[in-house]
Amino acid sequence: MKNLGLLIGLFFLTMACSSTKFIDSWRNKEVQEFKPTKLLIIGMTDNLTARNYFEEELSEAFIKRGINAQQSINVFNGTFTNGKKSELEIDEMIANLSKEGFDAVIITAIKGVEEKENVLDNYRYVNYRWAKLGRYYYKFQDIYYTPNYYETYKVYHIETSVYNINSDEDKSLVWVGALDIVNPQKIASAIKGYNKKIIRQFEKENLIPTP
């Protein structure tokens, strides 16, 4: 039973940590309606596999909602996001996108990575009714002899921004949101969870219609 309890505790710990959490968002109040006719999705990473998977899945979610969305990996060359660009190069990129009919851009980037520690579930429970020191010490002495008492994991701080680049209007930030990916185990599942969360937030804030 003790081993079963440990396995269950570790299972739920892993499930709880492998998640995407919405942190905060800001929306431009001057933008009453956001109805892009041609949307470009950019994943800022030099990992082409992750970039392609992210952009493809997110674009499909927009297409299901009647929005023409395209992947930047099919518009730019594969190395465009690898190196730093000057302001002039970026302005030229935006101008070219406008000429090609794009009126909005969604760009996602990792803002930082934080390493944290967690206490394993099987040591979290404390019965405050234990009045005797001996019983308490006996119960928790393994903490001092267990090298895996603490579990380290990473938190990726991600930011997604939505820009209006319509040449007939002022180019402006429409929306920006901050989300955390906690302890990602696999690229595919982490991206899927992130995209699902960001789409739900777009729907909640009436940026896009529900399918």
Side-chain angles (χ1 to χ4, degrees):
M1 291 297 291
K2 181 178 180 181
N3 291 336
L4 177 60
L6 173 59
L7 289 173
I8 293 174
L10 290 175
F11 173 77
F12 281 107
L13 175 65
T14 303
M15 291 297 291
C17 288
S18 300
S19 63
T20 300
K21 297 180 180 180
F22 174 77
I23 306 302
D24 197 9
S25 68
W26 175 88
R27 180 173 180 175
N28 188 343
K29 295 182 180 179
E30 295 181 2
V31 179
Q32 299 299 321
E33 291 186 346
F34 178 68
K35 295 181 178 180
T37 57
K38 194 174 182 181
L39 173 68
L40 182 68
I41 296 173
I42 303 176
M44 290 290 293
T45 176
D46 58 1
N47 184 327
L48 293 183
T49 300
R51 178 182 167 194
N52 183 62
Y53 190 87
F54 168 78
E55 293 182 354
E56 180 179 26
E57 187 173 81
L58 192 58
S59 64
E60 288 176 355
F62 280 102
I63 291 171
K64 288 180 180 178
R65 289 157 178 80
I67 299 172
N68 179 9
Q70 296 189 24
Q71 301 174 235
S72 73
I73 204 166
N74 295 330
V75 176
F76 303 145
N77 64 62
T79 61
F80 184 86
T81 58
N82 288 3
K84 294 182 67 176
K85 299 292 182 290
S86 66
E87 288 189 25
L88 178 59
E89 288 176 311
I90 295 172
D91 288 341
E92 289 177 350
M93 175 197 74
I94 295 173
N96 289 332
L97 290 175
S98 294
K99 290 178 182 179
E100 293 177 14
F102 289 98
D103 54 4
V105 171
I106 291 181
I107 184 167
T108 298
I110 298 175
K111 305 293 287 186
V113 182
E114 185 178 2
E115 190 167 279
K116 293 190 175 184
E117 285 187 338
N118 206 1
V119 181
L120 296 180
D121 270 2
N122 58 314
Y123 293 115
R124 288 179 178 176
Y125 177 72
V126 177
N127 188 336
Y128 290 100
R129 292 176 294 178
W130 291 343
K132 294 182 179 181
L133 173 61
R135 179 59 179 166
Y136 183 92
Y137 185 89
Y138 173 78
K139 179 67 177 177
F140 290 99
Q141 63 181 330
D142 284 347
I143 290 174
Y144 303 102
Y145 306 107
T146 305
N148 295 324
Y149 170 56
Y150 290 104
E151 180 185 64
T152 59
Y153 63 97
K154 290 183 178 180
V155 178
Y156 289 78
H157 304 298
I158 315 293
E159 185 176 273
T160 292
S161 303
V162 181
Y163 285 92
N164 170 27
I165 62 166
N166 193 319
S167 59
D168 297 330
E169 302 176 12
D170 292 333
K171 298 176 178 61
S172 61
L173 176 64
V174 176
W175 183 93
V176 59
L179 295 91
D180 284 348
I181 298 180
V182 183
N183 194 28
Q185 302 297 311
K186 296 180 180 179
I187 291 178
S189 58
I191 289 175
K192 187 178 291 291
Y194 184 89
N195 285 346
K196 186 176 182 179
K197 184 74 71 171
I198 200 73
I199 285 293
R200 284 182 178 177
Q201 194 62 34
F202 285 155
E203 291 175 342
K204 182 178 180 181
E205 300 193 34
N206 296 319
L207 279 171
I208 60 175
T210 56

